[in-house]
Amino acid sequence: MIVLAGLLSLAGIGVAYWLLMSPFAPTARDYPYHGPTGERLVALTFDDGPNEPYTSQILDILAAHDIRATFFHVGRCVERHPGTARRAVEAGHVLGNHSLSHRFGTYLRPGAFEREVGQTQRILARVTGRIPALARTPWLWRRPALLRMLRRSGLHPVAGEFGHALEVFQPSGVRMARRAVAKARPGSILIFHDGFDGRGGNRAETVVAVRETVEGLLARGFRFVTVDELLGVPAYQT
């Protein structure tokens, strides 16, 4: 009975993940993880930053290849590294809203996540002069009421596909890149993490993975676009 109860619990967790977090479930149609194109276009996206020195190292790689990407920034991280956020905008990258604190508890308190989104909008506006029109919820959480709230706030929810499922543990960057390149399809939105849950963290292998992924996809004839270009939506609010 104990084993059966454990298996049922795991099954329940799996179903909950599929319905509320997996980008591939039928319930995710209003939270796009790819763009509607047959062209060999890919959008590189980065979550949980800015986080130094890794965000700047990624910006250097992108600049060397004249690539524009989309960074979903955490409000508290922008406050810690305002110059990095400004550098990203000045280089032509697009910034999106990834909450203020990247804490799961904000989903459990009425109105808390909405307040965090509003605070992050104000922080990004103050630091960069831009008000995002793109948002990504931490862990790709997509409760319908949450997505409706984002749209009421003038934000387009954007999901994506993780470049490597175990990136949080920082496996070999070459191995992560190999997986990301294999996943890429026309219209893919690939997710990497230049930070960790809004708390910083060592992302040296992610930097390697980004360099190898860029070179691998370029060799396969892919072009890079920002998420707003791929989905045909605004990058910023007026």
Side-chain angles (χ1 to χ4, degrees):
M1 289 297 293
I2 293 174
V3 172
L4 178 60
L7 290 173
L8 289 173
S9 296
L10 288 173
I13 292 170
V15 170
Y17 172 80
W18 176 254
L19 291 175
L20 295 173
M21 300 172 79
S22 170
F24 310 116
T27 54
R29 61 184 179 275
D30 294 328
Y31 200 4
Y33 71 93
H34 64 87
T37 180
E39 295 184 64
R40 295 174 77 79
L41 302 177
V42 169
L44 285 181
T45 68
F46 299 92
D47 289 2
D48 297 5
N51 173 35
E52 289 301 344
Y54 309 105
T55 303
S56 285
Q57 291 171 1
I58 289 169
L59 290 172
D60 290 341
I61 293 168
L62 299 176
H65 294 280
D66 196 26
I67 290 170
R68 305 292 176 266
T70 307
F71 289 80
F72 289 92
H73 276 349
V74 174
R76 293 298 185 214
C77 297
V78 174
E79 290 182 321
R80 287 199 294 270
H81 303 290
T84 307
R86 283 192 292 269
R87 179 190 170 189
V89 169
E90 290 165 0
H93 303 291
V94 170
L95 301 190
N97 190 318
H98 198 45
S99 84
L100 179 72
S101 65
H102 204 287
R103 295 288 183 269
F104 194 85
T106 60
Y107 293 137
L108 308 178
R109 301 192 303 275
F113 187 74
E114 183 172 7
R115 289 190 294 274
E116 285 217 352
V117 167
Q119 286 176 272
T120 301
Q121 291 289 83
R122 291 189 288 275
I123 290 168
L124 285 166
R126 184 180 73 247
V127 170
T128 70
R130 305 293 179 90
I131 304 173
L134 302 175
R136 176 177 285 157
T137 56
W139 305 285
L140 302 183
W141 188 257
R142 58 164 188 276
R143 208 159 41 86
L146 193 81
L147 301 184
R148 288 196 295 270
M149 178 276 292
L150 291 174
R151 294 190 196 94
R152 285 197 307 271
S153 302
L155 288 158
H156 298 274
V158 178
E161 186 174 0
F162 295 117
H164 194 286
L166 301 180
E167 183 187 7
V168 65
F169 301 112
Q170 289 291 276
S172 158
V174 172
R175 188 167 63 199
M176 286 195 284
R178 190 180 301 123
R179 181 65 180 137
V181 171
K183 286 182 177 183
R185 299 290 184 273
S188 287
I189 300 172
L190 292 178
I191 302 174
F192 288 97
H193 294 79
D194 53 334
F196 173 64
D197 284 358
R199 298 196 297 270
N202 186 325
R203 282 295 174 266
E205 291 300 325
T206 291
V207 173
V208 174
V210 171
R211 183 182 66 243
E212 296 291 323
T213 299
V214 164
E215 293 176 357
L217 290 177
L218 287 173
R220 287 160 177 77
F222 280 91
R223 292 189 295 116
F224 295 91
V225 293
T226 54
V227 165
D228 54 299
E229 293 172 320
L230 184 63
L231 299 180
V233 298
Y236 298 106
Q237 299 178 16
T238 56

